[in-house]
Amino acid sequence: MDIASIHLPTIPLHIACMYHLKHLHSRLFLLAHELVDKEPESPMSWYAVGVWYLATSKWREAKQYLSKTTLMDSRHAPGWVAFAHTFAKEGEHEHAITAYSTCARLFRGSHLPHLFIGMEQIMLSHVTLAHEALETAYSMCDSDPLVYNERGVVAHIQGEYEVAVTHLEKALELAKVAQAAETNWVATYCNLGSAYRKLGKLDDARKAYERVLTLEPRHATALASLGMVYHMCTDYQKAIQHYHEALSVEPLNSYVLELLNMALISSAEAPLSLPELESKVAEATQLAVEKKTSYMTQASILDAAGDEKVPWDMPNGLSAWTM
């Protein structure tokens, strides 16, 4: 790009990098304007405009310009994928699948359309179709961590938790090889923790959720899930603490509210262990001694003062005594 400011074969990769790096969104805006000014008849120019609108979460405008890209060049692969993304972002999963299918038909060498079709089928709860699409993507590319993540999600939905753990751990391993930012894989750590929890491996689940909270401290799902792990370990105090933290992020989450109520009831009904009981008795004894000492002190003050009124015998504010 330093040699030629507009090098069309390189532009799609350049735009994709700027889309994923948030601090370069302003540069993407300038590049899109430059392309439209210099190459208004090129579909790549309008593709850049559409991607910039995608980066700013303006799905309708993005759809408009990316549709224009595919009309100008019906075999523009990046344009078709981005155009399908706009439907997925708006929750129009059926239309997204149609657009991804068109992309898969036109560009048979890429595994990405099949991966995205599988992801949309998961959103529609079409697990069998999702499995078929993801296995097709895997057969075409077995080194994409996102493929393993989505295969893990399908296995989790189907109740195959051991398989899910295998796929999710492989996804995280490949993500490290690809040197991707670990924050991009927060959902994978959450999925892994959930699979461990279903298998009863609560310590492994706790570690996975704690890793999520290290990367994103106010992740509501991880906070609630960690609370569930402590709940299952009968550590009700920690469970209640994490449920409260989850509700501070998502106050209207009815599931967490129900879990919190269950933890509070369990905490109230749970018998105290011997160390806890001894601690409570010692605390109560100390409090009784302190009160007795206080009363004896106040009594000696009264004896010395006669009818004089002392501060501890008055309510807050004005004196209750009449003169």
Side-chain angles (χ1 to χ4, degrees), residues 107-238:
F107 314 104
R108 299 182 181 276
S110 175
H111 74 289
L112 291 175
H114 298 283
L115 169 61
F116 297 139
I117 289 170
M119 293 168 70
E120 292 304 304
Q121 296 289 10
I122 291 173
M123 297 297 295
L124 292 170
S125 300
H126 298 162
V127 182
T128 303
L129 294 175
H131 177 75
E132 292 175 358
L134 293 170
E135 289 305 310
T136 301
Y138 172 71
S139 67
M140 299 173 73
C141 179
D142 61 357
S143 59
D144 187 341
L146 189 55
V147 172
Y148 279 97
N149 178 75
E150 298 306 316
R151 292 174 76 206
V153 170
V154 170
H156 191 289
I157 294 171
Q158 293 176 327
E160 300 174 359
Y161 302 118
E162 292 283 2
V163 177
V165 167
T166 301
H167 288 328
L168 294 167
E169 286 182 338
K170 183 66 174 179
L172 293 171
E173 179 185 333
L174 290 172
K176 292 177 182 177
V177 173
Q179 297 182 347
E182 200 172 8
T183 51
N184 294 337
W185 301 99
V186 164
T188 305
Y189 279 110
C190 267
N191 294 335
L192 181 60
S194 179
Y196 276 134
R197 179 166 50 81
K198 292 288 187 179
L199 290 170
K201 298 180 179 180
L202 300 181
D203 192 51
D204 291 328
R206 178 183 58 78
K207 291 177 182 177
Y209 293 132
E210 286 177 347
R211 186 59 190 159
V212 174
L213 296 175
T214 300
L215 299 170
E216 193 174 327
R218 289 179 60 78
H219 194 286
T221 301
L223 287 167
S225 299
L226 187 56
M228 291 176 66
V229 170
Y230 283 119
H231 199 156
M232 294 171 72
C233 294
T234 68
D235 191 341
Y236 300 120
Q237 294 305 315
K238 286 188 177 179

